[in-house]
Amino acid sequence: MNAGERDHPKADELLDVGDTLCGELALLLKKQLGGMQPGAVLHVVARDAAAPEDLPAWCELTGHSMLRVEHPNYWIRRKDG
């Protein structure tokens, strides 16, 4: 394991959305995170070119925390409550 791999947040679940576009991606994220415990971490793999802008913006709008971005990998902490 290299140093970069050790720095990744520990994920509770993985969601690989491939090349899914923003609208459908938002629905998938809402469903997945809605079923997780507050504070849990979701590792999302999103290969769409707009994901580096879309995912952090979605987190800001919904109150979830973007922990780390390494396109196509994103770690999101589910908000409390």
Side-chain angles (χ1 to χ4, degrees):
M1 177 184 300
N2 67 40
E5 291 172 329
R6 285 192 301 269
D7 295 337
H8 294 160
K10 181 185 176 305
D12 297 293
E13 295 186 27
L14 171 68
L15 178 63
D16 187 339
V17 297
D19 294 327
T20 303
L21 300 178
C22 183
E24 187 177 351
L25 175 56
L27 294 173
L28 292 170
L29 287 169
K30 181 178 180 180
K31 180 179 179 184
Q32 186 79 25
L33 285 163
M36 296 174 67
Q37 294 294 317
V41 175
L42 177 62
H43 175 188
V44 179
V45 180
R47 293 173 190 83
D48 179 57
E53 291 91 33
D54 290 347
L55 284 171
W58 183 84
C59 286
E60 188 172 323
L61 287 171
T62 60
H64 299 293
S65 301
M66 179 62 67
L67 300 177
R68 188 173 181 128
V69 175
E70 289 181 14
H71 184 73
N73 296 287
Y74 302 83
W75 287 266
I76 300 170
R77 183 176 313 279
R78 187 189 186 285
K79 66 182 176 183
D80 292 334

